[in-house]
Amino acid sequence: MSKLPTRFEGPRQSPGFMLWKIHFAWQRALRPVFERFDLTHIQFVLLASLCWLEQKDGVQQIQLSQHTSIDPMMTSQVVRSLEGKAFLERERDPQDARAWRLKSTAMGRTLIRKVLPQVEAADQAFFESLGAGVGRFVRDLNALEPEPR
Amino acid sequence: MSKLPTRFEGPRQSPGFMLWKIHFAWQRALRPVFERFDLTHIQFVLLASLCWLEQKDGVQQIQLSQHTSIDPMMTSQVVRSLEGKAFLERERDPQDARAWRLKSTAMGRTLIRKVLPQVEAADQAFFESLGAGVGRFVRDLNALEPEPR
DNA sequence: TAAGATTGACTGCTCAATCTTA
DNA sequence: TAAGATTGAGCAGTCAATCTTA
């Protein structure tokens, strides 16, 4: 076939295509770590983020959703599965009858303390090929984050 | 809660967390483009990649799978849906009775010619905040690609 | 009117297992 | 034995619609 209407010499020059590929490679690299603890990736993200946000104060479900960019429906589903596993508790917000306030349990925090170092180790191995450039890469990713709506 | 066992000052410093977030933001940014043409992202990737690879020769399904890093089962499913839409054809490989050889149709190529520039425009808008640094970012992503198994 | 939360339906994506041929 | 391809099951993720309260 004749030339494609593209600005790039090949797919490897396209930032979108490469972002998508590397994201999948990263998912595959991390999956064994989560499976070891019978967690899904999204369960880990929500529970670890809750533990992080909690360092301040009580956390609304919607805040957790916004912080992780996980949409409210998905957050609702997964938070309830984490509640079922007794890794967190939900209480009605006394200030806002619509909202839930989330609190990690001791079990949940213990789990994250075990998982987090292994996740970071797997991360470090995955991003090793960037060497010291990983800091710059992280700054680039931060620059790409869209404004919250 | 007390300090988490992490190397990072916060989630935004973690390359894994940020890669995951930005990938989702990118998916959301591109989705309207694909929907406009009644394509899914993965359908676009496979069809566009087929058109790209075809510039050489006949393409086996497994080659397309490896090139895109989409696993063979998924490739099989989506390729057949593209065949159903008449965007590509499948013929048995004369040299290897197990394999399919894939060929885009004129309709498929016409579609990609329309979609590709819009995808690249949306991409350009998404990565705009990196400015000239986008080249370096793409090189980083290429450096992260794991060895094929 | 808008915001926090949820339900049910539908599609996307992965895995284990299988079939056939190299 | 290994490689190309597929099936069916199950979880991940999205959307439209709804409910309740701010």
Side-chain angles (χ1 to χ4, degrees), chain B residues 25-103:
Chain B
W26 178 78
Q27 287 274 12
R28 288 186 186 118
L30 272 287
R31 189 175 304 126
V33 180
F34 297 127
E35 281 178 350
R36 215 174 292 152
F37 294 95
D38 195 27
L39 281 174
T40 65
H41 175 239
I42 203 161
Q43 286 172 348
F44 167 77
V45 170
L46 284 171
L47 187 54
S49 296
L50 175 60
C51 291
W52 168 260
L53 290 172
E54 261 178 345
Q55 293 179 122
K56 298 172 193 168
D57 202 6
V59 178
Q60 283 189 5
Q61 200 165 291
I62 188 68
Q63 289 178 285
L64 187 57
S65 164
Q66 286 162 356
H67 177 261
T68 54
S69 305
I70 295 169
D71 78 298
M73 279 93 75
M74 196 69 211
T75 303
S76 170
Q77 281 178 35
V78 176
V79 158
R80 278 173 290 145
S81 82
L82 290 169
E83 187 186 28
K85 290 179 170 185
F87 294 144
L88 59 79
E89 291 169 349
R90 300 198 299 167
E91 295 170 3
R92 281 296 175 185
D93 188 323
Q95 268 85 53
D96 186 337
R98 297 170 306 182
W100 292 102
R101 295 200 91 87
L102 308 178
K103 285 170 64 177

Coordinates of all heavy atoms in Angstrom, one line a residue, chain B residues 25-103:
Chain B
A25 N -6.0 9.2 31.1 CA -6.3 10.5 30.6 C -6.2 10.5 29.1 O -7.1 11.1 28.4 CB -5.4 11.6 31.2
W26 N -5.2 9.9 28.6 CA -5.0 9.8 27.1 C -6.1 9.0 26.4 O -6.7 9.4 25.4 CB -3.6 9.2 26.8 CG -3.3 9.0 25.4 CD1 -2.9 10.0 24.5 CD2 -3.4 7.8 24.6 NE1 -2.7 9.5 23.2 CE2 -3.0 8.1 23.3 CE3 -3.8 6.5 24.9 CZ2 -3.0 7.2 22.3 CZ3 -3.7 5.6 24.0 CH2 -3.4 5.9 22.6
Q27 N -6.5 7.9 27.1 CA -7.6 7.1 26.5 C -8.9 7.9 26.4 O -9.6 7.9 25.4 CB -7.9 5.9 27.5 CG -6.8 4.8 27.4 CD -7.1 3.8 26.3 OE1 -7.9 4.0 25.4 NE2 -6.4 2.7 26.3
R28 N -9.1 8.7 27.5 CA -10.3 9.5 27.5 C -10.3 10.6 26.4 O -11.3 10.9 25.8 CB -10.5 10.2 28.9 CG -10.9 9.1 29.9 CD -11.3 9.8 31.2 NE -11.5 8.8 32.2 CZ -10.8 8.6 33.4 NH1 -9.8 9.4 33.6 NH2 -11.1 7.6 34.2
A29 N -9.1 11.1 26.2 CA -8.9 12.2 25.2 C -9.1 11.7 23.8 O -9.6 12.4 22.9 CB -7.5 12.9 25.4
L30 N -8.7 10.4 23.6 CA -8.8 9.9 22.2 C -10.1 9.2 21.9 O -10.5 9.1 20.7 CB -7.6 8.9 22.0 CG -6.3 9.4 21.5 CD1 -6.4 9.8 20.0 CD2 -5.7 10.5 22.3
R31 N -10.8 8.8 22.9 CA -12.0 8.0 22.7 C -13.0 8.7 21.7 O -13.6 8.1 20.8 CB -12.7 7.7 24.0 CG -13.9 6.7 23.8 CD -14.5 6.2 25.1 NE -13.4 5.7 26.0 CZ -13.2 6.1 27.3 NH1 -13.9 7.0 27.8 NH2 -12.3 5.5 28.0
P32 N -13.3 10.0 21.9 CA -14.3 10.7 21.0 C -13.9 10.5 19.5 O -14.7 10.4 18.7 CB -14.2 12.1 21.4 CG -13.8 12.1 22.8 CD -12.8 10.9 23.0
V33 N -12.6 10.6 19.2 CA -12.1 10.4 17.8 C -12.5 9.1 17.3 O -13.1 8.9 16.2 CB -10.6 10.6 17.7 CG1 -10.2 10.5 16.3 CG2 -10.2 12.0 18.3
F34 N -12.3 8.0 18.1 CA -12.6 6.7 17.6 C -14.1 6.5 17.5 O -14.5 5.9 16.5 CB -12.0 5.6 18.5 CG -10.5 5.7 18.6 CD1 -9.8 5.8 19.8 CD2 -9.7 5.7 17.4 CE1 -8.4 5.9 19.9 CE2 -8.3 5.7 17.5 CZ -7.7 5.8 18.7
E35 N -14.8 7.0 18.4 CA -16.3 6.8 18.4 C -16.9 7.5 17.2 O -17.8 7.0 16.6 CB -16.9 7.5 19.7 CG -16.8 6.5 20.9 CD -17.4 7.1 22.1 OE1 -17.7 8.4 22.1 OE2 -17.5 6.4 23.1
R36 N -16.3 8.6 16.8 CA -16.8 9.3 15.6 C -16.8 8.4 14.4 O -17.5 8.5 13.4 CB -15.8 10.5 15.3 CG -16.5 11.7 14.8 CD -15.4 12.9 14.7 NE -15.0 13.3 16.0 CZ -13.8 13.9 16.3 NH1 -12.9 14.0 15.3 NH2 -13.5 14.3 17.5
F37 N -15.9 7.4 14.4 CA -15.7 6.5 13.2 C -16.2 5.1 13.6 O -16.0 4.1 12.8 CB -14.3 6.4 12.8 CG -13.8 7.7 12.2 CD1 -13.1 8.6 12.9 CD2 -14.0 8.0 10.8 CE1 -12.7 9.8 12.4 CE2 -13.6 9.2 10.3 CZ -12.9 10.1 11.1
D38 N -16.9 5.0 14.7 CA -17.5 3.7 15.1 C -16.4 2.6 15.2 O -16.5 1.5 14.8 CB -18.6 3.2 14.2 CG -19.4 2.1 14.8 OD1 -19.5 2.0 16.0 OD2 -19.9 1.3 14.0
L39 N -15.2 3.1 15.8 CA -14.1 2.1 16.0 C -13.8 2.1 17.5 O -14.0 3.1 18.2 CB -12.8 2.6 15.3 CG -12.7 2.4 13.8 CD1 -11.4 3.1 13.2 CD2 -12.7 0.9 13.4
T40 N -13.2 1.0 17.9 CA -12.7 1.0 19.3 C -11.2 1.3 19.1 O -10.6 1.2 18.0 CB -12.8 -0.4 20.0 OG1 -12.0 -1.3 19.3 CG2 -14.2 -0.8 20.1
H41 N -10.5 1.7 20.2 CA -9.1 2.0 20.1 C -8.3 0.8 19.6 O -7.4 0.9 18.7 CB -8.6 2.3 21.5 CG -7.1 2.6 21.6 ND1 -6.3 1.8 22.4 CD2 -6.3 3.4 20.9 CE1 -5.0 2.2 22.2 NE2 -5.0 3.2 21.3
I42 N -8.6 -0.4 20.1 CA -7.8 -1.6 19.7 C -8.1 -1.9 18.2 O -7.2 -2.4 17.5 CB -8.2 -2.7 20.6 CG1 -7.0 -3.8 20.6 CG2 -9.5 -3.4 20.4 CD1 -7.1 -4.6 21.9
Q43 N -9.3 -1.7 17.7 CA -9.6 -1.9 16.3 C -8.7 -1.0 15.5 O -8.1 -1.4 14.4 CB -11.1 -1.7 16.0 CG -12.0 -2.8 16.5 CD -13.4 -2.5 16.4 OE1 -13.8 -1.3 16.1 NE2 -14.3 -3.5 16.5
F44 N -8.6 0.3 15.9 CA -7.8 1.3 15.2 C -6.4 0.8 15.2 O -5.7 0.9 14.1 CB -8.0 2.7 15.8 CG -6.9 3.6 15.3 CD1 -7.0 4.2 14.0 CD2 -5.8 3.9 16.1 CE1 -6.0 5.1 13.6 CE2 -4.8 4.8 15.6 CZ -4.9 5.3 14.4
V45 N -5.8 0.4 16.3 CA -4.4 0.1 16.4 C -4.1 -1.1 15.5 O -3.1 -1.1 14.7 CB -4.0 -0.3 17.8 CG1 -2.7 -0.9 17.9 CG2 -4.1 0.9 18.7
L46 N -5.0 -2.1 15.5 CA -4.7 -3.3 14.6 C -4.8 -2.9 13.1 O -4.0 -3.4 12.3 CB -5.6 -4.4 15.0 CG -5.3 -5.1 16.3 CD1 -6.4 -6.1 16.8 CD2 -3.9 -5.8 16.2
L47 N -5.9 -2.2 12.8 CA -6.0 -1.9 11.4 C -4.9 -0.9 10.9 O -4.4 -1.2 9.8 CB -7.4 -1.3 11.1 CG -7.8 -1.0 9.7 CD1 -7.7 -2.3 8.9 CD2 -9.3 -0.5 9.6
A48 N -4.6 0.1 11.6 CA -3.6 1.0 11.2 C -2.2 0.3 11.2 O -1.4 0.5 10.2 CB -3.5 2.2 12.2
S49 N -2.0 -0.6 12.1 CA -0.7 -1.4 12.1 C -0.6 -2.3 10.9 O 0.4 -2.5 10.3 CB -0.6 -2.2 13.4 OG -0.5 -1.3 14.5
L50 N -1.8 -2.9 10.6 CA -1.8 -3.7 9.4 C -1.4 -2.9 8.1 O -0.6 -3.3 7.3 CB -3.2 -4.4 9.2 CG -3.4 -5.2 7.9 CD1 -2.4 -6.4 7.9 CD2 -4.8 -5.7 7.8
C51 N -2.0 -1.8 8.0 CA -1.7 -0.9 6.9 C -0.3 -0.5 6.9 O 0.4 -0.4 5.8 CB -2.6 0.4 6.9 SG -4.4 0.1 6.6
W52 N 0.3 -0.3 8.0 CA 1.7 0.1 8.1 C 2.6 -1.1 7.7 O 3.5 -1.0 6.9 CB 2.1 0.5 9.5 CG 3.5 0.6 9.8 CD1 4.3 -0.3 10.4 CD2 4.4 1.6 9.4 NE1 5.6 0.1 10.4 CE2 5.7 1.3 9.8 CE3 4.2 2.8 8.6 CZ2 6.8 2.1 9.6 CZ3 5.3 3.6 8.4 CH2 6.6 3.3 8.9
L53 N 2.3 -2.3 8.3 CA 3.2 -3.5 8.0 C 3.1 -3.9 6.5 O 4.0 -4.4 6.0 CB 2.8 -4.6 8.9 CG 3.1 -4.5 10.4 CD1 2.5 -5.6 11.2 CD2 4.6 -4.4 10.6
E54 N 1.9 -3.7 6.0 CA 1.6 -4.1 4.6 C 2.5 -3.5 3.6 O 2.7 -4.0 2.5 CB 0.2 -3.8 4.2 CG -0.8 -4.9 4.3 CD -2.2 -4.5 4.0 OE1 -2.4 -3.3 4.0 OE2 -3.0 -5.4 3.7
Q55 N 3.1 -2.3 4.0 CA 3.9 -1.6 3.0 C 5.1 -2.5 2.6 O 5.7 -2.3 1.6 CB 4.5 -0.3 3.7 CG 3.3 0.7 3.9 CD 3.7 2.0 4.5 OE1 3.5 3.1 3.9 NE2 4.3 1.9 5.7
K56 N 5.3 -3.6 3.4 CA 6.3 -4.6 3.0 C 5.7 -5.7 2.2 O 5.8 -5.8 1.0 CB 7.1 -5.1 4.2 CG 7.8 -4.1 5.0 CD 8.4 -4.6 6.3 CE 8.9 -3.5 7.2 NZ 9.1 -3.9 8.5
D57 N 4.9 -6.5 2.9 CA 4.5 -7.8 2.3 C 3.2 -8.3 3.0 O 2.6 -7.6 3.8 CB 5.6 -8.8 2.5 CG 5.5 -9.9 1.5 OD1 4.7 -9.8 0.6 OD2 6.3 -10.9 1.6
G58 N 2.8 -9.5 2.7 CA 1.7 -10.1 3.4 C 2.0 -10.3 4.8 O 3.1 -10.5 5.2
V59 N 1.0 -10.1 5.7 CA 1.2 -10.0 7.1 C 0.4 -11.2 7.8 O -0.8 -11.3 7.6 CB 0.7 -8.7 7.7 CG1 0.8 -8.6 9.2 CG2 1.4 -7.5 7.0
Q60 N 1.2 -11.9 8.6 CA 0.5 -13.0 9.4 C -0.1 -12.4 10.6 O 0.4 -11.4 11.1 CB 1.5 -14.0 9.8 CG 1.9 -15.0 8.7 CD 2.8 -16.2 9.3 OE1 3.0 -16.3 10.5 NE2 3.2 -17.0 8.4
Q61 N -1.2 -13.0 11.1 CA -1.9 -12.5 12.2 C -0.9 -12.4 13.4 O -1.0 -11.5 14.2 CB -3.1 -13.4 12.5 CG -4.1 -12.8 13.4 CD -5.4 -13.7 13.4 OE1 -6.1 -13.7 12.4 NE2 -5.7 -14.3 14.5
I62 N -0.1 -13.4 13.6 CA 0.8 -13.4 14.7 C 1.9 -12.3 14.6 O 2.2 -11.7 15.7 CB 1.6 -14.8 14.8 CG1 2.4 -14.9 16.1 CG2 2.5 -15.0 13.6 CD1 1.5 -14.9 17.4
Q63 N 2.2 -11.9 13.4 CA 3.1 -10.8 13.3 C 2.5 -9.5 13.7 O 3.1 -8.6 14.4 CB 3.5 -10.6 11.8 CG 4.5 -11.7 11.3 CD 4.7 -11.4 9.8 OE1 3.9 -11.6 8.9 NE2 5.9 -10.9 9.5
L64 N 1.2 -9.3 13.4 CA 0.5 -8.2 13.8 C 0.3 -8.1 15.3 O 0.5 -7.1 15.9 CB -0.9 -8.2 13.1 CG -1.8 -7.0 13.3 CD1 -1.2 -5.7 12.7 CD2 -3.2 -7.2 12.6
S65 N 0.1 -9.3 15.9 CA 0.0 -9.4 17.3 C 1.3 -9.0 18.0 O 1.3 -8.2 19.0 CB -0.3 -10.8 17.7 OG -0.1 -11.1 19.0
Q66 N 2.4 -9.4 17.5 CA 3.7 -9.1 18.1 C 4.0 -7.6 17.9 O 4.6 -7.0 18.8 CB 4.8 -10.0 17.5 CG 4.7 -11.4 18.0 CD 5.5 -12.4 17.1 OE1 6.1 -12.0 16.1 NE2 5.5 -13.7 17.6
H67 N 3.8 -7.1 16.7 CA 4.1 -5.7 16.5 C 3.3 -4.8 17.4 O 3.8 -3.7 17.8 CB 3.8 -5.4 15.0 CG 4.0 -4.0 14.6 ND1 3.0 -3.0 14.6 CD2 5.1 -3.3 14.4 CE1 3.5 -1.8 14.3 NE2 4.8 -2.0 14.1
T68 N 2.1 -5.1 17.7 CA 1.2 -4.2 18.5 C 1.3 -4.6 20.0 O 0.7 -3.8 20.8 CB -0.2 -4.3 18.0 OG1 -0.6 -5.7 18.1 CG2 -0.4 -3.8 16.6
S69 N 1.9 -5.7 20.3 CA 1.9 -6.2 21.7 C 0.5 -6.6 22.2 O 0.3 -6.6 23.4 CB 2.5 -5.2 22.7 OG 3.8 -4.8 22.3
I70 N -0.4 -6.8 21.2 CA -1.7 -7.2 21.6 C -1.7 -8.8 21.6 O -1.3 -9.3 20.6 CB -2.8 -6.7 20.6 CG1 -2.9 -5.2 20.8 CG2 -4.1 -7.3 20.9 CD1 -3.7 -4.5 19.7
D71 N -2.2 -9.4 22.6 CA -2.0 -10.8 22.7 C -2.8 -11.5 21.6 O -3.8 -11.0 21.1 CB -2.3 -11.4 24.1 CG -3.7 -11.5 24.3 OD1 -4.4 -10.5 24.3 OD2 -4.2 -12.6 24.5
P72 N -2.3 -12.8 21.2 CA -2.9 -13.4 20.1 C -4.4 -13.7 20.2 O -5.1 -13.6 19.1 CB -2.2 -14.8 20.0 CG -0.9 -14.5 20.7 CD -1.2 -13.5 21.8
M73 N -4.9 -13.9 21.3 CA -6.4 -14.2 21.5 C -7.2 -12.9 21.2 O -8.2 -12.9 20.4 CB -6.7 -14.6 22.9 CG -6.5 -16.1 23.2 SD -4.8 -16.3 23.9 CE -5.0 -15.8 25.5
M74 N -6.7 -11.8 21.7 CA -7.4 -10.5 21.5 C -7.3 -10.2 20.0 O -8.2 -9.7 19.4 CB -6.7 -9.5 22.3 CG -7.5 -8.2 22.5 SD -9.0 -8.4 23.5 CE -10.1 -7.2 22.7
T75 N -6.1 -10.4 19.4 CA -5.9 -10.1 18.0 C -6.9 -10.9 17.2 O -7.5 -10.3 16.3 CB -4.4 -10.4 17.6 OG1 -3.5 -9.7 18.5 CG2 -4.2 -10.1 16.2
S76 N -7.0 -12.1 17.5 CA -7.9 -13.0 16.8 C -9.3 -12.4 16.8 O -10.0 -12.3 15.8 CB -7.9 -14.4 17.4 OG -8.9 -15.2 16.8
Q77 N -9.8 -12.1 18.0 CA -11.2 -11.6 18.2 C -11.4 -10.3 17.3 O -12.4 -10.2 16.6 CB -11.4 -11.2 19.6 CG -11.8 -12.4 20.5 CD -12.0 -12.0 22.0 OE1 -12.5 -10.9 22.2 NE2 -11.5 -12.8 22.9
V78 N -10.5 -9.4 17.5 CA -10.7 -8.1 16.9 C -10.5 -8.1 15.4 O -11.2 -7.5 14.6 CB -9.8 -7.0 17.6 CG1 -9.9 -5.7 16.9 CG2 -10.1 -6.9 19.0
V79 N -9.5 -8.9 14.9 CA -9.3 -9.1 13.5 C -10.6 -9.6 12.8 O -11.0 -9.2 11.8 CB -8.1 -10.0 13.2 CG1 -8.2 -10.6 11.8 CG2 -6.8 -9.2 13.4
R80 N -11.2 -10.6 13.5 CA -12.5 -11.1 12.9 C -13.6 -10.1 12.9 O -14.4 -10.1 12.0 CB -12.9 -12.4 13.6 CG -12.1 -13.6 13.1 CD -12.4 -14.8 13.9 NE -11.8 -14.7 15.3 CZ -12.4 -15.3 16.4 NH1 -13.5 -15.9 16.3 NH2 -11.8 -15.1 17.5
S81 N -13.6 -9.2 13.9 CA -14.6 -8.1 13.9 C -14.3 -7.2 12.8 O -15.3 -6.6 12.1 CB -14.7 -7.4 15.3 OG -13.7 -6.5 15.4
L82 N -13.1 -6.9 12.5 CA -12.7 -6.0 11.4 C -13.0 -6.7 10.1 O -13.4 -6.0 9.1 CB -11.2 -5.7 11.5 CG -10.8 -4.7 12.6 CD1 -9.3 -4.7 12.8 CD2 -11.4 -3.3 12.4
E83 N -12.9 -8.0 10.0 CA -13.2 -8.8 8.8 C -14.8 -8.6 8.6 O -15.2 -8.4 7.5 CB -12.9 -10.2 9.0 CG -13.0 -11.1 7.7 CD -12.8 -12.5 7.9 OE1 -13.0 -13.0 9.1 OE2 -12.4 -13.2 7.0
G84 N -15.5 -8.7 9.7 CA -17.0 -8.6 9.6 C -17.4 -7.2 9.1 O -18.4 -7.1 8.4
K85 N -16.6 -6.2 9.4 CA -16.9 -4.9 8.9 C -16.3 -4.6 7.5 O -16.3 -3.5 7.0 CB -16.3 -3.8 9.9 CG -17.0 -3.7 11.2 CD -16.4 -2.7 12.1 CE -17.2 -2.4 13.3 NZ -16.6 -1.3 14.1
A86 N -15.6 -5.6 7.0 CA -15.0 -5.6 5.6 C -13.9 -4.6 5.5 O -13.6 -4.0 4.5 CB -16.1 -5.3 4.6
F87 N -13.2 -4.4 6.7 CA -12.0 -3.5 6.6 C -10.7 -4.3 6.3 O -9.7 -3.7 6.0 CB -11.9 -2.7 8.0 CG -12.9 -1.7 8.2 CD1 -13.4 -1.5 9.5 CD2 -13.5 -1.0 7.2 CE1 -14.5 -0.6 9.7 CE2 -14.5 -0.1 7.4 CZ -15.0 0.1 8.7
L88 N -10.8 -5.6 6.5 CA -9.7 -6.4 6.1 C -10.2 -7.8 5.7 O -11.3 -8.2 5.9 CB -8.6 -6.6 7.2 CG -9.1 -7.1 8.6 CD1 -9.2 -8.7 8.5 CD2 -8.1 -6.7 9.6
E89 N -9.3 -8.6 5.0 CA -9.6 -9.9 4.6 C -8.6 -10.9 5.1 O -7.4 -10.5 5.3 CB -9.6 -10.0 3.0 CG -10.8 -9.3 2.4 CD -10.7 -9.2 0.9 OE1 -9.6 -9.5 0.4 OE2 -11.6 -8.7 0.2
R90 N -9.0 -12.1 5.3 CA -8.1 -13.2 5.8 C -8.1 -14.3 4.8 O -9.1 -14.8 4.4 CB -8.6 -13.7 7.2 CG -8.7 -12.6 8.3 CD -8.7 -13.3 9.6 NE -9.9 -14.2 9.8 CZ -10.0 -15.0 10.8 NH1 -9.1 -15.2 11.7 NH2 -11.1 -15.8 10.9
E91 N -6.8 -14.7 4.5 CA -6.7 -15.9 3.7 C -5.7 -16.8 4.3 O -4.8 -16.4 5.0 CB -6.0 -15.5 2.3 CG -6.9 -14.6 1.5 CD -6.2 -14.0 0.3 OE1 -5.0 -14.4 0.1 OE2 -6.8 -13.2 -0.5
R92 N -5.9 -18.1 4.1 CA -5.0 -19.1 4.7 C -3.6 -18.9 4.0 O -3.5 -18.7 2.8 CB -5.4 -20.5 4.4 CG -6.5 -21.0 5.3 CD -6.0 -21.1 6.7 NE -7.0 -21.4 7.7 CZ -6.8 -21.4 9.0 NH1 -5.6 -21.1 9.5 NH2 -7.8 -21.8 9.9
D93 N -2.6 -19.0 4.9 CA -1.2 -18.8 4.4 C -0.8 -20.0 3.6 O -0.9 -21.1 4.1 CB -0.3 -18.7 5.6 CG 1.1 -18.3 5.2 OD1 1.6 -18.8 4.1 OD2 1.8 -17.5 5.9
P94 N -0.4 -19.9 2.3 CA -0.1 -21.0 1.5 C 1.2 -21.8 2.0 O 1.3 -23.0 1.8 CB 0.2 -20.4 0.1 CG 0.2 -19.0 0.3 CD -0.3 -18.6 1.6
Q95 N 2.1 -21.0 2.7 CA 3.3 -21.6 3.2 C 3.1 -22.3 4.6 O 3.9 -23.1 5.0 CB 4.4 -20.6 3.4 CG 5.3 -20.5 2.1 CD 4.7 -19.6 1.1 OE1 4.4 -18.4 1.4 NE2 4.5 -20.0 -0.1
D96 N 2.0 -21.9 5.3 CA 1.8 -22.4 6.7 C 0.3 -22.6 6.9 O -0.4 -21.6 7.1 CB 2.5 -21.5 7.7 CG 2.4 -22.0 9.1 OD1 1.6 -22.9 9.4 OD2 3.3 -21.6 9.9
A97 N -0.1 -23.8 6.9 CA -1.6 -24.1 7.0 C -2.2 -23.7 8.3 O -3.4 -23.6 8.4 CB -1.8 -25.6 6.7
R98 N -1.4 -23.4 9.3 CA -1.9 -22.9 10.6 C -2.3 -21.5 10.6 O -3.2 -21.0 11.3 CB -0.9 -23.1 11.7 CG -0.5 -24.5 12.0 CD 0.7 -24.6 13.0 NE 1.8 -23.7 12.5 CZ 3.0 -23.6 13.1 NH1 3.2 -24.2 14.2 NH2 3.9 -22.9 12.6
A99 N -1.6 -20.7 9.7 CA -1.6 -19.3 9.8 C -2.6 -18.6 8.9 O -2.9 -19.1 7.8 CB -0.2 -18.7 9.6
W100 N -3.0 -17.4 9.3 CA -3.8 -16.5 8.4 C -2.9 -15.5 7.8 O -2.0 -15.0 8.6 CB -4.9 -15.8 9.2 CG -6.0 -16.7 9.6 CD1 -6.2 -17.2 10.9 CD2 -7.1 -17.2 8.9 NE1 -7.3 -18.0 10.9 CE2 -7.9 -18.0 9.7 CE3 -7.5 -17.1 7.5 CZ2 -9.1 -18.7 9.3 CZ3 -8.6 -17.8 7.1 CH2 -9.4 -18.5 7.9
R101 N -3.1 -15.1 6.6 CA -2.5 -13.8 6.1 C -3.5 -12.8 6.0 O -4.6 -13.0 5.5 CB -1.8 -14.1 4.7 CG -0.7 -15.1 4.8 CD 0.2 -15.0 3.6 NE 1.3 -14.0 3.8 CZ 2.5 -14.4 4.4 NH1 2.7 -15.6 4.8 NH2 3.4 -13.5 4.6
L102 N -3.2 -11.6 6.4 CA -4.2 -10.5 6.5 C -3.9 -9.4 5.4 O -2.7 -9.1 5.1 CB -4.1 -9.8 7.9 CG -4.2 -10.7 9.1 CD1 -4.1 -10.0 10.4 CD2 -5.5 -11.5 9.0
K103 N -5.0 -8.9 4.8 CA -4.9 -7.9 3.8 C -5.9 -6.8 4.1 O -7.1 -7.2 4.2 CB -5.0 -8.4 2.4 CG -3.8 -9.2 1.9 CD -4.1 -9.9 0.6 CE -4.5 -9.0 -0.5 NZ -4.7 -9.7 -1.8

